[in-house]
Amino acid sequence: ESQFNPNAVSKANAVGIMQLKKDTADEVGVIDRTNPSESIEGGAKYISWNLDQFKQSEPIALASYNYGIGNVQKAIFKDYDSYNQFSLANPTPDDQYNWIQTNPNIPPETKDYVTKVLDYKKYIEQYELTNLVMSNKSYNKNQVRITE
């Protein structure tokens, strides 16, 4: 969302490369939200915390990062029966992604954000694998995770 501009400010007053709001920045120890290294470190801490909150579900953690953890928890509560059945079924990442995309309580902007970040992740993982193969180095396939 910041387009890598450390001075970017959103309509919601999220600032910096990782678009941290003031309260979130305070929680993760970021003093200067426009400082790229502080912003990235703080954003990584916040995403890690969201992953812990949502059983390592990348799509739901990303939605929480974008829309706010409280808003995602409200969306889960509003659709609790569906979410409870979903979470007990040991969902795959694709199932988790589809739950976000089809949930009427998650706004389109957040759905787009989740898609965009996961697409970037796939691209980076594919790029890393291509570089390993092109370098003719041996590698352990467990070191690089490719999602389809």
Side-chain angles (χ1 to χ4, degrees):
E1 293 181 328
S2 70
Q3 304 300 316
F4 302 102
N5 177 354
N7 299 309
V9 180
S10 75
K11 294 176 197 169
N13 203 30
V15 175
I17 289 175
M18 296 299 284
Q19 292 291 280
L20 299 172
K21 289 186 175 181
K22 175 79 171 100
D23 57 338
T24 303
D26 291 344
E27 285 178 34
V28 296
V30 171
I31 295 167
D32 180 0
R33 294 181 288 165
T34 63
N35 178 305
S37 57
E38 276 192 66
S39 181
I40 291 168
E41 186 174 329
K45 283 181 188 177
Y46 189 57
I47 287 174
S48 177
W49 187 77
N50 285 334
L51 284 165
D52 290 344
Q53 296 300 305
F54 294 107
K55 300 178 183 178
Q56 302 304 307
S57 167
E58 290 176 356
I60 297 173
L62 289 168
S64 178
Y65 186 93
N66 180 263
Y67 187 41
I69 193 165
N71 291 326
V72 170
Q73 288 171 332
K74 287 177 195 170
I76 289 169
F77 182 74
K78 287 179 181 176
D79 194 20
Y80 184 75
D81 288 337
S82 169
Y83 182 79
N84 194 36
Q85 291 173 358
F86 161 78
S87 64
L88 293 175
N90 196 21
T92 66
D94 284 343
D95 294 333
Q96 296 162 357
Y97 174 80
N98 289 332
W99 185 83
I100 290 294
Q101 296 302 318
T102 60
N103 188 308
N105 302 304
I106 303 290
E109 173 190 321
T110 297
K111 293 174 183 183
D112 292 345
Y113 173 82
V114 170
T115 298
K116 184 177 177 180
V117 173
L118 291 175
D119 284 349
Y120 280 143
K121 180 180 181 244
K122 280 184 201 175
Y123 175 79
I124 290 167
E125 288 173 338
Q126 187 62 50
Y127 178 79
E128 288 173 349
L129 180 60
T130 300
N131 282 342
L132 283 170
V133 171
M134 298 287 284
S135 69
N136 290 322
K137 293 180 182 176
S138 63
Y139 66 95
N140 178 342
K141 69 179 180 179
N142 294 323
Q143 291 176 317
V144 178
R145 195 177 116 221
I146 301 298
T147 55
E148 296 182 27

